C-alpha cells in the first residue's frame, strides 16, 4: 500500500481542512502493523501524528488534547499532550519518534527538531511503561488460555491472581494508605454453576468516591476481559491471542533497544519474520496454548530487560530543564505563527 497516496483520499480531507490540523501538523506517520512492519494483506491502516497547539490553547481559554477520526483510525495528538506522554515513555506514542525516515508522511522543520531531541525523553521510565504494557498483554494471553484449558476451580484461582496483581498495581499508583483495607480470597461458591468463587472484604473510611469507583472498575475490567475471550468465535480468538503474543514480544524488543542503545526503533525489520511467525500461529499448539519455545523466548527477553535496566546508561528520569527549554521554544513559535 502506498500510504502517502492513501491519505489523499476524500476520507482523509480532515487532515487538510480542520483548522487545528493542516499546516499545524508537524509529524504524521503510520501506526500499528504498518509502523512495525508486521502488516498483512487485510491489516487496517492506522495514522498517528502531532499537531501544534493554537495560541488560544497556550495563552487563552481553549483546550485541546487530541483529534480522533474513528472511520480512518487516525489520532493526532496536540504538542502539549504528546510531551506529557513522551516524558512517561508511553509505548503507544513514543513509537512515533522511531519510524524509519521513509515512513513519515509529514515532517516539518519543527517535527524534525522533535526527532532531533527525542533523546530528552528516554529514561529508565521505559522499563516500567513498556513492562506494564507487556504485563497486560501477557495477562490477556494467560486469561484466555486458562478459560479454555483449566477446570473451573483452577480458572477461578487464575482470575484471582490476575485481579490481585492488578489491585496491587493500582494501590502502588494511588496512595491509599490510612484509608482502609481490601482483602481478596477464594471460597466455596453459592452459585450452582461455580465450584469456587472470588470474594472480597473491604473496609474504607473517608475514601474519595472516584478512587473507590476506579479501583472496583479496574478489578471488574480484568474479570470482563477474561470472560470476553470465550464468547467470541474460536478462530477469531486464536487470531487475537497470536496478535497479543506478537505485541508482547515486540514491546520487549523496543524496551530493550531504548534501555541498551538509547534508541527508539519502531519498524522491526530485523525481527519481522519472528514477529509475523508469532502472529501467524507458528508458536501456538493445537489446543490453543503456546509452545515451550514461545515461553522460552519470553523468558529470554524478560531477563534481558531486567539486565538492561541494571546496566542502562539512561538517567532515571528526563532532564526537565532541557525539556522545558525545548517546549518553550516550540510554543513561542506556535504563538507567533513562525512554523
Amino acid at each position: 500500500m502506498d500510504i502517502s497516496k492513501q491519505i489523499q483520499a476524500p476520507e482523509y480531507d480532515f487532515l487538510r481542512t480542520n483548522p487545528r490540523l493542516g499546516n499545524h501538523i508537524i509529524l504524521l506517520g503510520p501506526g500499528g502493523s504498518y509502523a512495525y512492519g508486521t502488516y498483512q494483506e487485510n491489516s487496517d491502516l492506522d495514522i498517528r501524528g502531532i499537531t501544534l497547539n493554537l495560541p488560544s490553547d497556550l495563552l487563552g481559554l481553549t483546550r485541546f488534547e487530541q483529534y480522533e477520526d474513528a472511520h480512518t483510525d487516525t489520532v493526532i495528538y496536540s504538542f502539549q499532550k504528546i510531551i506529557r506522554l513522551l516524558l512517561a515513555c508511553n509505548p503507544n506514542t513514543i513509537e512515533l519518534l522511531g519510524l524509519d525516515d521513509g515512513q513519515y508522511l509529514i515532517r516539518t522543520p519543527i517535527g524534525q527538531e522533535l526527532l532531533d531531541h527525542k533523546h530528552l525523553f528516554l529514561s529508565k521510565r521505559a522499563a516500567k511503561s513498556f513492562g506494564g504494557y507487556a504485563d497486560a498483554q501477557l495477562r490477556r494471553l494467560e486469561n484466555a488460555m486458562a478459560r479454555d484449558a483449566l477446570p473451573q476451580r483452577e480458572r477461578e484461582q487464575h482470575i484471582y491472581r490476575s485481579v490481585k496483581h492488578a489491585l496491587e498495581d493500582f494501590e502502588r499508583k494511588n496512595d491509599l494508605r490510612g484509608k482502609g483495607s481490601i482483602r481478596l480470597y477464594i471460597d466455596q461458591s453459592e452459585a450452582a454453576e461455580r465450584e469456587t468463587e472470588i470474594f472480597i472484604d473491604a473496609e474504607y473510611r473517608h475514601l474519595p468516591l472516584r478512587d473507590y469507583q476506579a479501583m472496583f472498575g479496574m478489578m471488574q475490567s480484568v474479570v470482563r476481559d477474561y470472560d470476553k475471550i470465550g464468547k467470541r468465535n474460536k478462530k477469531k480468538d486464536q487470531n487475537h491471542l497470536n496478535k497479543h503474543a506478537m505485541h508482547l514480544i515486540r514491546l520487549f524488543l523496543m524496551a530493550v533497544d531504548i534501555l541498551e542503545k538509547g534508541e527508539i526503533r519502531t519498524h522491526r525489520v530485523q525481527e519481522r519474520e519472528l514477529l509475523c511467525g508469532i502472529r501467524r500461529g507458528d508458536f501456538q499448539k493445537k489446543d490453543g496454548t503456546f509452545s515451550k519455545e514461545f515461553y522460552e523466548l519470553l523468558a529470554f527477553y524478560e531477563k534481558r530487560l531486567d539486565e538492561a535496566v541494571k546496566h542502562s546508561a539512561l538517567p532515571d528520569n528526563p532532564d526537565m530543564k532541557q525539556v522545558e527549554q525545548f517546549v518553550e521554544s516550540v510554543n513561542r513559535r506556535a504563538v507567533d505563527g513562525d512554523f
Side-chain angles (χ1 to χ4, degrees), residues 95-279:
E95 63 187 34
L96 185 56
L97 304 187
L99 299 175
D100 291 347
D101 285 345
Q103 290 183 287
Y104 287 106
L105 305 167
I106 295 176
R107 180 172 48 177
T108 69
I110 291 182
Q112 184 59 52
E113 279 186 53
L114 178 58
L115 295 177
D116 293 340
H117 285 81
K118 61 187 175 184
H119 63 280
L120 296 180
F121 305 100
L122 300 185
S123 70
K124 290 180 182 177
R125 291 181 182 181
K128 183 177 180 180
S129 59
F130 277 83
Y133 274 65
D135 182 71
Q137 293 287 353
L138 181 58
R139 191 161 64 230
R140 289 188 185 102
L141 284 179
E142 291 177 336
N143 284 352
M145 291 185 294
R147 190 183 196 286
D148 290 334
L150 298 176
Q152 190 276 326
R153 178 185 288 269
E154 293 182 43
R155 290 202 304 269
E156 198 70 6
Q157 185 70 35
H158 182 86
I159 302 173
Y160 163 77
R161 288 195 297 269
S162 293
V163 174
K164 192 170 186 294
H165 178 85
L167 178 62
E168 290 170 351
D169 187 55
F170 181 88
E171 290 177 331
R172 278 195 299 269
K173 294 177 181 176
N174 303 271
D175 189 2
L176 302 183
R177 288 175 296 181
K179 301 292 186 181
S181 62
I182 186 169
R183 174 178 171 245
L184 294 173
Y185 59 97
I186 292 181
D187 206 342
Q188 295 299 312
S189 176
E190 297 177 0
E193 67 273 17
R194 299 187 187 94
E195 186 178 352
T196 61
E197 190 167 0
I198 302 169
F199 289 85
I200 185 170
D201 293 336
E203 182 179 356
Y204 288 100
R205 293 183 184 277
H206 201 64
L207 178 68
L209 176 61
R210 289 174 178 81
D211 287 351
Y212 181 86
Q213 184 182 32
M215 179 170 58
F216 278 88
M218 170 275 303
M219 291 189 287
Q220 184 182 41
S221 177
V222 173
V223 176
R224 187 187 301 117
D225 284 348
Y226 176 87
D227 288 339
K228 271 183 184 178
I229 296 289
K231 295 178 181 179
R232 294 194 297 253
N233 174 272
K234 186 70 175 178
K235 177 66 175 175
K236 191 175 181 181
D237 282 350
Q238 300 307 321
N239 291 337
H240 274 81
L241 291 183
N242 290 329
K243 191 173 181 180
H244 286 319
M246 178 193 72
H247 285 307
L248 174 59
I249 299 301
R250 179 189 59 78
L251 286 164
F252 278 112
L253 289 168
M254 290 190 67
V256 167
D257 275 347
I258 290 172
L259 291 159
E260 285 186 349
K261 305 173 186 176
E263 66 178 39
I264 310 165
R265 188 158 60 87
T266 305
H267 196 203
R268 309 306 305 191
V269 177
Q270 296 176 15
E271 302 90 1
R272 186 180 191 280
E273 185 175 349
L274 169 66
L275 294 173
C276 287
I278 296 172
R279 184 171 185 176

